[in-house]
Structures are given as C-alpha cells and as structure tokens.
Amino acid sequence: MMLNQSSPALNNRWKVLIADDEFIIREGIRESVDWEKLRLQVVAEAEDGEEALELAVYHQIDILLVDLNMPIMNGIELMKHVREELPDCKIVIITGHDEFTYAQTAIRLQVKDYILKPANPTQLEKVLCQVRDELEEEASQQQHLQTASRQISKSYPLLRERFCQEWMEGSMTEEEIVEQLAFLQLPVAAPSLLGMIRLRESAAPQPLMKESERQLYLFAIENIAGELLASYPKVIFRDPFGVIVVLLWSFSADADFHQIESSVRTYLKVAVDIHLTEGEDDITSMPAVYRKCKSAVLKETAISPLVRRAKQYMLEHFGDCTLTLESMAQQLQSSPVYLSRMIKQELDTSFNSYLTQIRIRRASQLLNGTDLTIADISRQVGYETQHYFSTAFKRTTGTSPLQYRKGGAAQNE
C-alpha cells in the first residue's frame, strides 16, 4: 500500500520503499528506525513485487528494502526491474535464510547488503546509515560534476577558438581532432567552407590605426559575421596575425558569408578583404585549406576598389538571370568596357567566366547538399532554363548535373 505521494517537502530526504509480503515485518522495520534522524523517509510500502515496482518508479525511490519471497513477482525479478528503471537506487535484501543462496545474483544486481529476519534495529540502522552516506557522497560528486559542466559550457566559445587555432596550425592528429570536435559539440567532420576576413587598415578613418581601435573594429566585424551566419554551425576565431577565420559546416552559408563585406562597409565605414574556400573531406587537410585561403585573402589587397566591388556584386546577385556586364557597370557607375578590362587584368578572367564559376560552384554545393530538383537549382543560380544550366555545368565540370549528384563529382576532382 502507498503511504503518501512525492512532495517538495521530501526532497531533502532520501526516499525509502519497504517491500515485504508480511505486514508484521514491514511494521517492524518502519517502527524500529528513527527515519527523520537518518534523513530518510519511508514513502511507500508494498506487499508484492508488482506493486513494489510500480511504487518504486512512481516515487523515484533512493533505497529499496526488499524481501526475496513475495507473490506475483519475487524479489529477484523486482530487483532486476528496479535496476533497469532506477539504476542509482540502493538495494538492501531482507531474508529469512541465514545462508544467503542468491549471492551471485545479488552481486550482479549491485545489492548493498542483506538483513536477516527479524530485522535487528541496530544492524538495520547501521546498514541504512552506510547506504545514506553513499547516496550523499554520490549526490555531492554529481553536483560538482554539474557545476564543472556548466563552467565548461560557459567556456565553450573560448575552448572552440583555441582548438581551431591549433587545428589550423596542423599540429593535431586525426584522433585528437575527432575527440575535440565531439567534446566541443561541433560536427565531427571537416567544415564545408573556410572563410577569412581581413581588416584593411589603410581604409580606416585615420592613416594609422591605434591597436585599441583595431581590436574594436575586429570585435565589431566578428559580431556582424556572427549575426549574418547565426543559423549555421560555425566557429569564428582570429589567427595569430589578426585575420578573422570562419569555419562553416554548411555549404548554404556561402551567400550570407559574402554579405559580410558590404555590411561592414555600411555599418562600420571600413573596408575588409574576404575570401571563401571549400573544405576537404579529410579533417587533417584543413590546415592546407587554411593556408590556401590565407594566400588568397592577402592577394585581395592588390585588387582595385572597382574590381572588388564588382566581385562582391556578382557574389550577391549571381542568382539574377538578367545580370549582365552592362547592368552591373551601370550599378557600379562605370563603363562596361573599362570594367571588363579591369576584371580581365586583375582577376585574369572575363566577366562571363567569373560569373559562371560562381554559379557552377554554388550549383555543385546545392547538388551535393540538398534534394532540390535540377530545375530549381538552375533557377537559383541564375539560369533561365535547365538546358542552358546543364550545358554550362557540363562544359565547366566535365559531367552533367545528374551524374555529378550521383557521384560523378568524385571522378572529376
């Protein structure tokens, strides 16, 4: 029978259930112990195993005093079920046999002790004290672990940054990288994209920027990047040279990353050089991707403001099938002839070729990372018809969009 239900008042005391088919035994145990003095509370009693299991789970008991011989479900079966449902519950057996023949089962079920009927009050109190002390020690340990876990959680951003810095240096083994990614709750895979943002100091309001100002701008740029990329799994950190590095576990972040440059220019009135590089499948190859991206972002400094704006414009508007050199030149307040010549000179490619590269790269990401139809992808990347898109894709990659999606990409890398 149930004595009372769980209540907040019992939360400071350990909950005990007495399971024995003999009322006199249950009463003897209940009356022979000063439960309050031991910081224990008998929350329920049961006369058969089935009822005991139901009450044990209902009350989430901490200590089970159990008879081996009970109707419906015997003590051994009850203990097995309790161990499954309440793995931290402490079990003490009540037995009428001087020689306990269930020793192996008891050991397997992690029984704390056994008491002979009729229960000796002194022995019972001694056993209960030991069990209570063990519960309190475990609770204290769990509390320390929870406190440490909360502190680690608060430190995750800093720990992730430090790990990624070491990762990009190339000094970690594959096992170490996998272990750290899992611990820091990051995808256990190589990032899809690696981006860099470099503050162009010559474009700052003053010719020479003080270090305090530089740090302030970098912090503000990181905030803008974090807001634009808020919906993607990522880590944003600075390398030893003050370049902001962004690791992104999503190809879909491409377009939002390229908005960083214009947003920084609009809100902070400073210029940044940005570059985005695709990752590698092998997590140990990321340092090489980092170096490749670093080299590319440093080269951005040599590009004229007009061509930089043209690159940015194409990255932001490649999905517009009406985009032409003439329409872009008009937006940038330049002549098409002059703009075309500057693009060719500084990017070593034509407007059409550069735009096609952007569109096909984005299409490849969508083919690999989404279930969108080829017709939908062709529209998203700026092609009026699927046929025109497929022709351009095959000319650029050597395989059709359908073959690429089925695995042809691996053969053409």
Side-chain angles (χ1 to χ4, degrees), residues 163-174:
F163 156 66
C164 289
Q165 287 169 350
E166 289 185 40
W167 186 7
M168 295 307 110
E169 287 171 5
S171 57
M172 302 181 74
T173 65
E174 183 175 0

Side-chain angles (χ1 to χ4, degrees), residues 158-200:
L158 182 59
L159 292 171
R160 285 170 178 157
E161 289 178 23
R162 289 180 176 172
F163 156 66
C164 289
Q165 287 169 350
E166 289 185 40
W167 186 7
M168 295 307 110
E169 287 171 5
S171 57
M172 302 181 74
T173 65
E174 183 175 0
E175 291 74 20
E176 288 172 333
I177 296 167
V178 168
E179 185 179 348
Q180 287 293 316
L181 286 169
F183 170 69
L184 295 170
Q185 298 179 358
L186 292 168
V188 184
S192 307
L193 300 166
L194 184 150
M196 286 192 181
I197 311 163
R198 182 172 177 267
L199 177 62
R200 215 178 319 140

Side-chain angles (χ1 to χ4, degrees), residues 63-263:
I63 301 171
L64 172 65
L65 302 179
V66 57
D67 181 22
L68 292 175
N69 299 308
M70 286 189 296
I72 304 178
M73 180 191 294
N74 66 37
I76 294 294
E77 285 302 309
L78 171 61
M79 288 189 291
K80 287 178 181 177
H81 287 296
V82 167
R83 184 55 65 225
E84 290 172 3
E85 297 283 347
L86 303 168
D88 296 325
C89 179
K90 307 300 177 186
I91 300 173
V92 177
I93 290 174
I94 304 166
T95 178
H97 304 285
D98 196 0
E99 282 192 28
F100 180 49
T101 58
Y102 298 97
Q104 287 184 326
T105 303
I107 290 169
R108 188 168 64 250
L109 294 172
Q110 299 174 321
V111 170
K112 301 313 297 180
D113 212 326
Y114 73 95
I115 297 166
L116 290 174
K117 294 180 181 180
N120 178 298
T122 304
Q123 185 194 8
L124 178 58
E125 186 168 322
K126 180 182 177 183
V127 169
L128 288 171
C129 280
Q130 290 173 343
V131 172
R132 180 209 61 200
D133 290 346
E134 190 172 327
L135 282 166
E136 291 183 346
E137 185 179 345
E138 288 175 3
S140 175
Q141 186 180 38
Q142 189 63 30
Q143 189 173 11
H144 287 309
L145 288 173
Q146 288 174 353
T147 301
S149 179
R150 284 195 297 271
Q151 290 173 339
I152 288 172
S153 295
K154 288 179 182 177
S155 304
Y156 269 163
L158 182 59
L159 292 171
R160 285 170 178 157
E161 289 178 23
R162 289 180 176 172
F163 156 66
C164 289
Q165 287 169 350
E166 289 185 40
W167 186 7
M168 295 307 110
E169 287 171 5
S171 57
M172 302 181 74
T173 65
E174 183 175 0
E175 291 74 20
E176 288 172 333
I177 296 167
V178 168
E179 185 179 348
Q180 287 293 316
L181 286 169
F183 170 69
L184 295 170
Q185 298 179 358
L186 292 168
V188 184
S192 307
L193 300 166
L194 184 150
M196 286 192 181
I197 311 163
R198 182 172 177 267
L199 177 62
R200 215 178 319 140
E201 296 189 35
S202 59
Q206 297 177 358
L208 288 175
M209 192 183 294
K210 294 179 182 176
E211 182 59 24
S212 58
E213 288 178 308
R214 180 172 172 272
Q215 292 299 325
L216 200 58
Y217 276 116
L218 288 172
F219 181 72
I221 293 165
E222 286 175 332
N223 280 343
I224 288 172
E227 287 178 14
L228 287 170
L229 302 168
S231 61
Y232 306 105
K234 65 188 174 301
V235 178
I236 299 174
F237 64 98
R238 295 183 209 172
D239 75 2
F241 306 98
V243 174
I244 297 169
V245 183
V246 184
L247 301 184
L248 290 155
W249 280 266
S250 172
F251 282 121
S252 302
D254 189 333
D256 289 318
F257 179 84
H258 283 110
Q259 288 182 23
I260 293 171
E261 184 176 0
S262 58
S263 295

Side-chain angles (χ1 to χ4, degrees), residues 17 46 48-60 73 78 82:
L17 185 148
D48 66 66
E50 196 171 83
E51 181 189 25
L53 178 60
E54 183 181 343
L55 292 172
V57 174
Y58 176 80
H59 289 286
Q60 295 290 292
M73 180 191 294
L78 171 61
V82 167

Side-chain angles (χ1 to χ4, degrees), residues 360 363-364 367 389-401 404:
I360 299 304
S364 300
L367 285 166
F389 163 65
S390 296
T391 302
F393 192 93
K394 187 164 187 176
R395 186 169 59 242
T396 304
T397 67
T399 187
S400 71
Y404 188 91

